[in-house]
């Protein structure tokens, strides 16, 4: 007789592994199927996030940032370091160690929580059965009262720039360059382009980014986006907006990219090209024929607000369903679904999911931008504060950026918090908590913040909403 589980999760990325652990914690007999195999041929947990996404990219972002800080900025604060050279092989080794520690941690958590780890490719063959094809091709069928699909996403490929072995690569390839490309092309000035473009630019590449849209980071509050563009250009990133890539040609060790912009047809030659134009849901081979799980028009698994698919007992979470493609969004959906399966009431607040771009300075936001609120017909009031007027930011030699709060003009409720600054990815947590608790701008303004801290810029932005910022000469008239 087939093994029977209360829950089988397909995929052990941040959506799937978190769902599995939570389900097991709630007393459900749980299995999690994963097909990812690392370079050593070992099945590994953690999905895109731990293996080729969030974690390895942040390891390289941090090491390359430290290098630039030491090379270009230590002398400003009185530390003489002499000539510095990045050791790429060692940086990659460090990145691999960080991946291994994180991935190993998930396996240990599965063991500690009693999650059965199944190795191979999972396929939903009925609303209560999952077939697992092992790496050796052997098939086994498992019964489950509930199934959670967390199969993730893969990079989008575009016809003008088909990937090659090592010249035209996606984000995974860009984490593996063994030497610094002299001329690096990046297609797409989105999150991945900016992060990985920054890594290689810091290490010495001349980076040219070709972005089809005329607006830089349209999803980001435009006051923050404009400041970010200015700062990144100053660092040497050549960001070309309104540049549509039409073709590419590999010539020996170079790649020639053709694009059109407002001036007409252009051509540029690179030593490496990263294609990062978005990701698409990955559902290949996950759904058996006639199971009845519907996809939407863009290929995402169709789910309701509680991640229920069109088939009772089958749930889907993370990058393979609608919404932001972020690890923490996937994980929170995993928690919600496990709670629901265990019979608890659970909700997810999709309005308070933070986003962070880990450039230097970082860009972080939660909730509505000023532009979004206005186009939704909401009358808003805003408060901004520059980090150049924050004592701790000056002491940190990191005075770039600003914090901005968007509040409802009538109720004062915070609609969005937007930051570009050093550690914005940490600072944004207070905006998320404020929004989770339905805070007004005044609530933050009346809160006591530690001094000196960069968090005080959020405090000042909240005060500025009603024109009461303390450390800003040019403030609005007090009410
Ligand atoms: P995934 O992490 O993609 O995991 C899906 C898993 O399912 C995979 O392990 C896959 O092998 C497995 N799978 C698929 N089909 C099957 C099957 N049939 N059987 C068994 N297993 C299967 N997000 C952030 O929030 N912060 C960041 O800083 C960040 N940085 C990123 C940097 C890069 C370069 C990239 C590419 C992405 C980054 N992301 C970041 C996005 C983040 O990685 C994803 O949003 C997140 O991994 C989605 O989690 P998931 O569990 O839905 O899917
Ligand atoms: P993205 O959507 O952030 O950016 C893609 C960019 O490519 C867009 O600006 C788009 O206009 C541009 N583009 C699309 N087609 C183009 C073309 N033909 N020519 C030129 N430009 C083109 O996507 P991404 O950067 O690939 O990242 C994918 C996902 O991964 C994102 O949704 C993000 O949520 C996630 N991610 C998150 C983080 C993070 O949280 N820090 C980091 C990396 C990735």
């Amino acid at each position: 007789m087939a093994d029977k589980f209360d829950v089988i999760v397909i995929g052990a990325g941040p959506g799937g592994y978190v769902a599995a652990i939570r389900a097991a914690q709630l007393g459900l007999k749980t299995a999690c199927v994963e097909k990812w195999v690392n370079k050593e041929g070992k099945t590994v947990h953690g999905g895109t996030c731990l293996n080729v996404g969030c974690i390895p990219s942040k390891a390289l972002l941090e090491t390359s940032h430290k290098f630039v800080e030491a090379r270009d900025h230590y002398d400003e604060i009185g530390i003489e370091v002499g000539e510095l050279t990045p050791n790429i092989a060692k940086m990659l080794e460090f990145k691999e160690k960080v991946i291994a520690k994180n991935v190993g941690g998930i396996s240990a958590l599965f063991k500690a929580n009693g999650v059965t780890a199944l190795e191979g490719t999972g396929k939903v063959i009925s609303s209560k059965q999952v077939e697992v094809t092992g790496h050796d091709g052997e098939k086994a069928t498992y019964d489950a009262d509930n199934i959670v699909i967390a199969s993730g996403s893969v990079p989008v490929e575009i016809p003008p720039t088909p990937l090659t072995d090592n010249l035209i690569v996606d984000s995974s390839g860009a984490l593996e360059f063994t030497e610094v490309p002299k001329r690096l092309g990046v297609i797409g000035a989105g999150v991945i382009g900016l992060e990985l473009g920054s890594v290689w630019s810091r290490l010495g590449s001349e980076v040219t980014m070709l972005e089809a849209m005329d607006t830089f980071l349209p999803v980001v509050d435009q006051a923050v986006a404009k400041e970010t563009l200015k700062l990144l250009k100053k660092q040497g990133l050549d960001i070309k907006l309104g540049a549509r890539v039409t073709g590419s040609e590999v010539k020996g060790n170079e790649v020639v990219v053709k694009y059109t912009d407002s001036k007409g047809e252009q051509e540029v030659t690179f030593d490496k090209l990263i294609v990062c134009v978005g990701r698409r849901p990955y559902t290949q081979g996950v759904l058996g024929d006639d199971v009845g799980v519907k996809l939407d028009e863009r290929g995402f698994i169709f789910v309701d607000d509680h991640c229920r698919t069109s088939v009772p007992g089958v749930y889907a979470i993370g990058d393979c369903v609608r919404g932001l493609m972020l690890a923490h969004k996937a994980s929170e959906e995993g928690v919600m679904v496990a709670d629901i399966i265990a019979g608890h009431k659970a909700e997810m607040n999709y309005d308070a999911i933070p986003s962070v771009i880990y450039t230097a300075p970082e860009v972080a936001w939660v909730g509505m931008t000023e532009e979004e609120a206005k186009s939704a017909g909401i009358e808003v009031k805003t408060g901004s504060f520059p980090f150049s007027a924050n004592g701790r930011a000056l002491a940190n030699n990191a005075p770039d950026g600003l914090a901005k709060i968007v509040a409802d003009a009538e109720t004062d409720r915070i609609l969005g918090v937007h930051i570009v600054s050093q550690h914005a990815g940490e600072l944004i947590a207070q905006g998320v908590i404020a929004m989770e608790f339905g805070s007004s701008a005044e609530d933050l303004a009346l809160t006591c913040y530690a001094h000196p801290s960069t968090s005080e810029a959020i405090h000042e932005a909240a005060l500025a909403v009603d024109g009461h910022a303390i450390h800003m000469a040019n403030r609005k008239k007090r009410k």
Side-chain angles (χ1 to χ4, degrees):
M1 200 185 119
D3 277 342
K4 167 101 197 280
F5 292 93
D6 296 319
V7 189
I8 296 182
V9 181
I10 298 179
Y17 84 70
V18 170
I21 290 172
R22 177 72 157 208
Q25 285 174 343
L26 294 170
L28 300 167
K29 188 180 175 197
T30 306
C32 185
V33 197
E34 178 53 64
K35 68 174 185 174
W36 198 300
V37 176
N38 69 7
K39 288 172 203 154
E40 287 83 47
K42 196 171 163 264
T43 304
V44 284
H45 301 124
T48 303
C49 173
L50 299 198
N51 292 288
V52 293
C54 324
I55 297 299
S57 60
K58 268 78 245 178
L60 291 183
L61 277 156
E62 192 59 33
T63 47
S64 60
H65 178 62
K66 285 194 158 96
F67 169 67
V68 168
E69 278 294 293
R71 187 193 60 193
D72 299 345
H73 302 293
Y74 274 15
D75 67 328
E76 294 161 6
I77 57 171
I79 304 173
E80 305 288 344
V81 286
E83 184 107 351
L84 287 176
T85 341
N87 181 334
I88 305 299
K90 220 160 176 182
M91 281 184 183
L92 295 181
E93 202 181 296
F94 170 71
K95 178 202 72 171
E96 291 302 323
K97 275 190 200 153
V98 173
I99 295 174
K101 274 195 190 146
N102 276 279
V103 163
I106 307 302
S107 306
L109 287 172
F110 274 4
K111 275 201 192 104
N113 286 284
V115 174
T116 302
L118 301 171
E119 298 186 4
T121 303
K123 184 196 232 178
V124 183
I125 53 172
S126 79
S127 65
K128 300 230 174 288
Q129 278 186 316
V130 172
E131 177 190 86
V132 177
T133 307
H135 301 312
D136 55 5
E138 285 284 309
K139 288 186 195 304
T141 301
Y142 300 89
D143 292 338
D145 287 334
N146 300 277
I147 297 169
V148 180
I149 304 169
S151 52
S153 64
V154 287
V156 167
E157 291 182 36
I158 49 172
T161 51
L163 302 188
T164 66
D165 269 355
N166 67 357
L167 269 185
I168 307 181
V169 300
D170 60 16
S171 55
S172 302
L175 295 166
E176 300 282 329
F177 294 155
T178 50
E179 49 191 55
V180 180
K182 188 168 174 332
R183 297 160 302 174
L184 174 64
V186 177
I187 305 189
V191 191
I192 294 181
L194 293 173
E195 290 187 359
L196 296 183
S198 292
V199 165
W200 294 107
S201 159
R202 291 167 190 170
L203 297 175
S205 294
E206 287 161 21
V207 176
T208 305
M209 307 186 70
L210 303 174
E211 166 58 52
M213 307 271 278
D214 294 321
T215 308
F216 180 65
L217 292 177
V219 294
V220 174
D221 188 278
Q222 282 304 292
V224 166
K226 283 195 179 98
E227 180 71 7
T228 306
L229 182 61
K230 189 184 82 192
L231 293 168
L232 294 180
K233 280 188 165 175
K234 210 167 114 191
Q235 288 169 18
L237 290 179
D238 181 7
I239 301 170
K240 295 188 189 301
L241 300 174
R244 291 187 174 277
V245 176
T246 52
S248 65
E249 197 183 337
V250 172
K251 287 186 179 166
N253 287 330
E254 299 178 335
V255 49
V256 179
V257 174
K258 292 193 169 92
Y259 66 96
T260 54
D261 63 13
S262 56
K263 294 189 196 103
E265 295 207 348
Q266 312 284 346
E267 216 177 82
V268 54
T269 303
F270 299 117
D271 300 303
K272 298 271 184 207
L273 180 66
I274 310 174
V275 182
C276 38
V277 292
R279 294 178 63 83
R280 62 179 173 82
Y282 179 77
T283 53
Q284 198 183 319
V286 181
L287 300 170
D289 301 333
D290 308 324
V291 178
V293 172
K294 289 193 183 122
L295 303 184
D296 70 15
E297 64 286 352
R298 295 191 302 149
F300 290 93
I301 296 176
F302 178 78
V303 289
D304 67 11
D305 285 349
H306 293 93
C307 292
R308 298 185 183 99
T309 69
S310 45
V311 174
V314 180
Y315 300 79
I317 58 173
D319 279 11
C320 66
V321 304
R322 85 288 174 262
L324 295 169
M325 286 181 154
L326 294 174
H328 41 283
K329 176 262 194 184
S331 298
E332 288 309 309
E333 287 182 334
V335 168
M336 172 177 73
V337 160
D339 285 358
I340 291 171
I341 291 171
H344 302 296
K345 278 212 157 104
E347 295 286 336
M348 178 130 175
N349 181 1
Y350 285 97
D351 292 334
I353 300 174
S355 293
V356 184
I357 307 176
Y358 293 86
T359 43
E362 295 173 351
V363 185
W365 68 97
V366 58
M368 288 178 138
T369 63
E370 183 175 349
E371 296 80 22
E372 279 168 348
K374 282 181 174 163
S375 66
I378 304 170
E379 202 186 321
V380 297
K381 50 185 182 173
T382 65
S384 297
F385 191 80
F387 281 85
S388 57
N390 172 274
R392 181 67 193 272
L394 290 172
N396 288 352
N397 198 26
D400 289 332
L402 61 96
K404 174 172 172 179
I405 291 180
V406 180
D408 188 305
E410 200 180 326
T411 64
D412 195 40
R413 192 183 173 124
I414 296 175
L415 301 173
V417 179
H418 308 273
I419 311 169
V420 49
S421 77
Q422 183 193 44
H423 305 151
E426 305 292 336
L427 295 176
I428 197 63
Q430 42 189 306
V432 180
I433 293 167
M435 287 190 61
E436 270 293 337
F437 284 81
S439 302
S440 62
E442 189 184 30
D443 287 329
L444 284 194
L446 292 173
T447 301
C448 181
Y449 279 73
H451 175 77
S453 67
T454 49
S455 295
E456 286 174 293
I458 316 279
H459 188 213
E460 291 274 17
L463 284 159
V465 168
D466 280 327
H468 297 175
I470 303 289
H471 295 90
M472 200 157 52
N474 197 7
R475 59 181 189 242
K476 294 176 203 163
K477 204 167 163 244
R478 277 168 192 265
K479 284 188 184 157

